[in-house]
Amino acid sequence: MQSVFDAWRDQVLAHEHDAAALRGGEHGHGHGGFTYANRPLDIRRADDPVLNVLYAAVGADAHVLDVGGGAGRFALPLATRAKRVTVVEPSADSVGLLQSRAAEAGLTNIDVINAPWEEADAPSADVALCSLVLHHVSAAAPFVAKMQAHAKQRVLIVEMMELPGALEVPFYERVYGAAPAPLPALPDALRLLWAMDIFPDLTMLPAEPPALVEEPDSALDYLRRRLSVDPDSEADERLRAAMDDLLVDTPDGLIVRGMSPRRQAILTWRPGG
């Protein structure tokens, strides 16, 4: 019988293989390869459900280790509350954005390690955080084990209930005629942790509209990067046609027609607990 760990690995590798084949052999969605620099957000925002849960777990004297922290979606606001934040991020582009945004905000308590988590020489911290990264990691068990070994008080993993990348599936189908195999999602993450004798607390967050970004030009740029579509190509024509058919402008942003609301969850536990 295939183990939980092997099933996870095979699912991630199948997605990477399918995505590369559909995009003409170009890799990029795998852990450490694809860069999505999320747009700047208010670092003092109070309406982010994930961030509000993180705030409850992070005290003023805490050191936070943000694994795969990207351009600082959570690291920047956490740095306004915590004593220190260390971000481990493999993408040099994301690190550059993080550092420039931290400088603009006057934050001096953020350290950055530009390396994959598996290779990083990172310090221990009170809280270890990983948001929407684990589903790209084929060797997930050692990845989680290293997080747990570096966390003194708590580990937090943010994952999605629906398959990650679900909003892109209709566009893959319109542009390439098929979509990649799905990545692991929250139910798979729970099975993985249980197989590691980790039994986390689960916090389900409110459903979010199936929205991309606010403006059509931004959505086009996002989808071009996610699907590896060159501007003014035949694939780009199909993508534009798909956007005309599938995107609906609403007060919540550009909604993907026919998609269910999205749900995120936070898995958290005390190391050794």
Side-chain angles (χ1 to χ4, degrees):
M1 177 181 290
Q2 187 182 42
S3 73
V4 170
F5 309 114
D6 290 342
W8 179 288
R9 178 201 63 213
D10 291 351
Q11 195 169 353
V12 173
L13 294 179
H15 173 85
E16 292 182 352
H17 175 272
D18 290 354
L22 289 171
R23 299 192 309 266
E26 179 180 340
H27 289 273
H29 283 208
H31 171 60
F34 176 75
T35 300
Y36 171 49
N38 52 281
R39 67 189 187 280
L41 298 171
D42 181 1
I43 65 170
R44 301 186 187 280
R45 62 191 184 275
D47 59 350
D48 186 324
V50 174
L51 192 55
N52 288 337
V53 173
L54 299 181
Y55 283 154
V58 174
D61 294 329
H63 179 190
V64 179
L65 181 62
D66 189 354
V67 177
R73 181 181 184 89
F74 297 126
L76 292 169
L78 286 172
T80 68
R81 306 243 183 152
K83 182 176 182 179
R84 181 152 297 277
V85 176
T86 298
V87 177
V88 179
E89 170 55 46
S91 164
D93 290 342
S94 292
V95 165
L97 281 171
L98 169 61
Q99 291 174 327
S100 65
R101 291 172 182 174
E104 290 172 4
L107 297 171
T108 59
N109 60 337
I110 298 179
D111 300 317
V112 181
I113 300 173
N114 186 193
W117 173 239
E118 298 88 340
E119 302 171 10
D121 182 12
S124 295
D126 299 300
V127 176
L129 163 68
C130 179
S131 175
L132 303 181
V133 170
L134 188 63
H135 55 252
H136 286 301
V137 180
S138 57
F143 188 98
V144 171
K146 184 175 179 179
M147 284 186 62
Q148 182 166 248
H150 280 70
K152 299 175 184 177
Q153 297 178 7
R154 187 162 290 278
V155 182
L156 297 104
I157 293 178
V158 183
E159 268 304 339
M160 302 187 72
M161 183 65 197
E162 296 78 15
L163 66 96
L167 295 184
E168 299 152 24
V169 167
F171 298 97
Y172 262 109
E173 292 172 342
R174 296 290 189 97
V175 172
Y176 296 116
L183 286 163
L186 177 63
D188 306 290
L190 281 169
R191 285 190 287 270
L192 177 87
L193 295 176
W194 293 337
M196 296 176 66
D197 289 326
I198 296 171
F199 302 93
D201 295 328
L202 171 65
T203 301
M204 294 299 304
L205 300 176
E208 300 175 355
L212 288 174
V213 291
E214 287 88 353
E215 300 175 358
D217 288 346
S218 298
L220 177 60
D221 179 61
Y222 170 81
L223 288 168
R224 278 173 171 166
R225 286 184 286 114
R226 294 293 285 180
L227 276 65
S228 294
V229 170
D230 293 327
D232 302 320
S233 62
E234 291 184 5
D236 197 38
E237 292 181 10
R238 293 192 293 272
L239 176 58
R240 289 173 177 272
M243 291 177 63
D244 288 341
D245 288 343
L246 296 173
L247 292 180
V248 181
D249 195 2
T250 76
D252 294 311
L254 293 170
I255 299 295
V256 182
R257 192 190 308 275
M259 298 296 293
S260 301
R262 299 183 297 168
R263 287 189 180 274
Q264 294 185 94
I266 297 179
L267 302 166
T268 181
W269 69 95
R270 294 185 180 275

